């Protein structure tokens, strides 16, 4: 595991102590995990707050930058939570049709990751899943659960940046 300090810059102090934890593949997963550390401290209420995890097929600076983008979006006035989404404004990776992030339960990592005790409280870690605009539109019309059902039926590989849209 590597801890990367990330400075959002002088104009973006919403998460002053932002770090991204970069966790390499291990016995439970062949993927890389990128986890925010700092959202909880910036936004906690009564000892409860959120952090975010993204899973990717490789270690790349792009994913660290996306985690910083999530932290800034969440702490800068667009508070995210379960079943929310966030536009990236560009493809997740060049050539990908995924241009949004869907905030979901951390299914790939199991329920033990979701609830994390921290000094002074509890952090809930939610998954930032890259999705397509069409999938976001489907979710708006049919609901979050219906979209997750499509993901299950299609057996998507969530770390595949070139996966086909299910909607």
């Amino acid at each position: 595991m590597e801890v990367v300090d990330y400075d959002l810059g002088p104009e973006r102090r919403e998460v002053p102590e932002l770090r991204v934890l970069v966790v390499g593949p291990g016995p439970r997963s062949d993927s890389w995990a990128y986890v925010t550390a700092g959202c909880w401290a910036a936004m906690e209420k009564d000892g409860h707050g959120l952090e975010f995890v993204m899973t990717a097929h490789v270690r790349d600076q792009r994913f660290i930058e996306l985690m910083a983008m999530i932290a800034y979006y969440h702490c800068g006035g667009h508070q995210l939570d379960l079943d929310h989404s966030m536009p990236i404004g560009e493809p997740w990776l060049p050539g990908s049709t995924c241009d949004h992030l869907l905030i979901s339960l951390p299914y790939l990592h199991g329920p033990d990751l979701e609830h994390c005790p921290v000094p002074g409280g509890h952090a809930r870690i939610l998954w930032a899943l890259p999705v397509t605009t069409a999938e976001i539109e489907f979710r708006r019309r049919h609901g979050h659960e219906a979209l997750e059902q499509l993901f299950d039926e299609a057996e998507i590989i969530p770390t595949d940046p070139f996966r086909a849209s299910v909607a």
Side-chain angles (χ1 to χ4, degrees), residues 2-127:
E2 176 186 0
V3 178
V4 178
D5 290 319
Y6 199 96
D7 185 355
L8 291 170
E11 302 300 317
R12 299 177 173 174
R13 293 290 177 209
E14 288 79 5
V15 194
E17 302 290 325
L18 178 63
R19 293 172 307 286
V20 177
L21 310 178
V22 180
V23 183
R28 291 189 202 175
S29 173
D30 62 352
S31 299
W32 289 79
Y34 299 82
V35 185
T36 62
C39 291
W40 180 88
M43 299 290 291
E44 66 91 11
K45 300 251 189 305
D46 300 321
H48 300 282
L50 297 177
E51 295 291 351
F52 303 92
V53 62
M54 177 181 284
T55 309
H57 62 296
V58 296
R59 190 211 185 286
D60 192 292
Q61 182 67 26
R62 169 67 173 157
F63 303 115
I64 294 169
E65 292 165 2
L66 281 170
M67 296 313 290
M69 184 187 299
I70 293 167
Y72 177 70
Y73 189 86
H74 174 67
C75 297
H78 302 282
Q79 195 167 357
L80 295 167
D81 206 341
L82 187 62
D83 301 347
H84 289 183
S85 63
M86 173 188 142
I88 300 173
E90 61 190 19
W92 177 38
L93 287 174
S96 175
T97 59
C98 296
D99 58 1
H100 283 72
L101 297 173
L102 181 67
I103 307 304
S104 187
L105 295 174
Y107 295 116
L108 288 183
H109 304 281
D112 290 342
L113 180 69
E114 181 185 355
H115 302 285
C116 179
V118 295
H122 161 269
R124 186 175 191 195
I125 301 175
L126 296 176
W127 185 22

Side-chain angles (χ1 to χ4, degrees), residues 83 85 102 135-144 147:
D83 301 347
S85 63
L102 181 67
E135 290 165 343
I136 291 298
E137 289 303 319
F138 178 90
R139 182 189 60 118
R140 286 185 182 132
R141 287 191 311 275
H142 303 285
H144 187 88
L147 178 58

